[in-house]
């Protein structure tokens, strides 16, 4: 492998909520608890779950913290099909025209008009690593995975920020399609 | 696209059973009903379901007919993880050393010693199409998929037989990872 190796993490279904949505679902003044820090600085998993209701079925998802400026439910295509939601493949934050859903918490519920997406494969990368790898913000790259289910992911978007740690993120469909296991969690930008 | 285009089908979790296993699970003299013919000549979906029991959880799978010489449970990696079975990625029929499981039917149950696999991506192809595409039996090829989640599947095994119809088969993890939808179900051997 070259020096363009990158560690890959799988994202399970989860959601981000606004302060307002959080208080509607969990009550006024509710604060998100940190259960586990994630690889991206400042981001954390919480012990709080809410129910996402689609036209066909529903399930619980974990809230990731901290609160954001928009509600966003991130699913795999398998998850979206299960719920019966036709969610587009989008970058985080690019929510215009995406479908909504109902969110139910212990103290209330919210109908969001948009925000359900399937995350586009992406690389979070520091400016230092981006320079080293020769990639730029918003660039689309391809990433090669080895092993039993070797494949090359095309359409991987690069996002450069000093607030990031360098990791590639895929969902569980992609993780399993590539058989990315604990002992095979590295890709190479090609 | 070149003329090496191939139609892709997704295989959900399913099992194949021997005559003996079928009779243990469903009773002596039981015959498989044809619910729907599949793309491969002579193969059919049945309305019969059995429960596959793993160390962690269980679920129902559909039996595909006709009966075969060995019991075989084909899962996606997502399915196998759900059941708690560490199944290898194998070609159909290559079962030596694969894990077993318990199968439960309406009339009885069977503990199989081996047979639980995750199917290796493969192409069924007629001798005529193989000649046209320039591929041989057992050859490993790569297949390019376009669209929103473009990727290149490596490690795709080619199987040539006059008894086949020409189709590529992937599981639902792979189907969803590539966003292979009704309007985007074609790959290209590259």
């Amino acid at each position: 492998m070259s020096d363009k190796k990158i560690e890959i993490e799988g994202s399970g279904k989860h959601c981000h909520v606004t302060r307002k949505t959080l208080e509607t679902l969990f009550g006024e003044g509710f604060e998100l608890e940190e259960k586990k820090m994630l690889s991206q600085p400042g981001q954390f998993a919480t012990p709080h779950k809410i129910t996402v209701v689609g036209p066909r079925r529903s399930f619980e998802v974990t809230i990731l913290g901290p609160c954001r400026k928009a509600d966003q439910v991130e699913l795999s295509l398998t998850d979206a099909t299960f719920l019966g939601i036709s969610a587009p493949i989008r970058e985080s934050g690019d929510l215009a025209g995406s479908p909504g859903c109902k969110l139910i918490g212990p103290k209330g519920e919210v109908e969001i008009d948009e925000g359900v997406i399937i995350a586009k494969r992406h690389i979070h990368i520091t400016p230092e690593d981006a320079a080293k790898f020769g990639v730029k913000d918003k660039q689309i790259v391809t990433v090669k995975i080895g092993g039993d289910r070797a494949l090359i992911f095309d359409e991987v978007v690069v996002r450069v920020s000093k607030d990031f740690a360098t990791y590639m993120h895929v969902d569980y469909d992609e993780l399993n399609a590539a058989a990315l296991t604990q002992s095979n969690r590295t890709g190479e930008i090609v």
Side-chain angles (χ1 to χ4, degrees), chain A:
Chain A
M1 297 267 266
S2 75
D3 59 350
K4 293 190 181 182
K5 290 199 308 188
I6 190 153
E7 192 169 340
I8 302 175
E9 293 181 324
S11 302
K13 57 183 186 282
H14 66 269
C15 68
H16 304 282
V17 291
T18 62
R19 182 78 231 160
K20 187 181 168 201
T21 294
L22 181 69
E23 296 201 346
T24 305
L25 299 177
F26 288 85
E28 210 179 308
F30 188 84
E31 293 294 340
L32 290 173
E33 252 181 78
E34 286 181 19
K35 183 181 173 189
K36 187 187 167 197
M37 293 310 292
L38 300 176
S39 63
Q40 294 307 310
Q43 304 296 305
F44 56 91
T46 77
H48 318 300
K49 287 174 187 289
I50 58 175
T51 301
V52 176
V53 183
R56 199 171 156 215
R57 284 183 282 205
S58 62
F59 50 48
E60 288 196 326
V61 302
T62 296
I63 297 177
L64 300 190
C67 284
R68 292 202 181 177
K69 287 179 188 167
D71 299 309
Q72 179 170 306
V73 179
E74 292 183 47
L75 306 175
S76 70
L77 185 45
T78 296
D79 298 327
T81 304
F82 182 87
L83 294 182
I85 299 180
S86 183
I89 291 147
R90 292 282 182 87
E91 283 187 64
S92 182
D94 176 16
L95 306 180
S98 64
C101 67
K102 187 192 279 189
L103 305 176
I104 305 177
K107 295 282 177 66
E109 54 186 69
V110 173
E111 191 80 44
I112 60 173
D113 292 332
E114 62 180 27
V116 182
I117 62 168
I118 296 163
K120 186 176 175 75
R121 302 161 191 149
H122 56 280
I123 291 173
H124 295 272
I125 194 165
T126 63
E128 295 71 29
D129 284 341
K132 200 175 79 178
F133 287 12
V135 296
K136 290 183 177 167
D137 192 45
K138 300 190 198 305
Q139 188 177 340
I140 301 295
V141 298
T142 59
V143 176
K144 188 175 184 171
I145 315 292
D148 274 358
R149 296 191 125 180
L151 58 73
I152 298 172
F153 285 122
D154 198 354
E155 290 293 331
V156 182
V157 62
V158 174
R159 292 161 55 194
V160 182
S161 169
K162 62 179 177 43
D163 298 329
F164 288 156
T166 300
Y167 283 94
M168 174 167 167
H169 283 171
V170 298
D171 67 24
Y172 273 78
D173 289 339
E174 296 170 319
L175 200 78
N176 286 329
L180 287 160
T181 58
Q182 289 304 337
S183 58
N184 180 36
R185 279 281 167 98
T186 306
E188 182 186 6
I189 299 174
V190 290

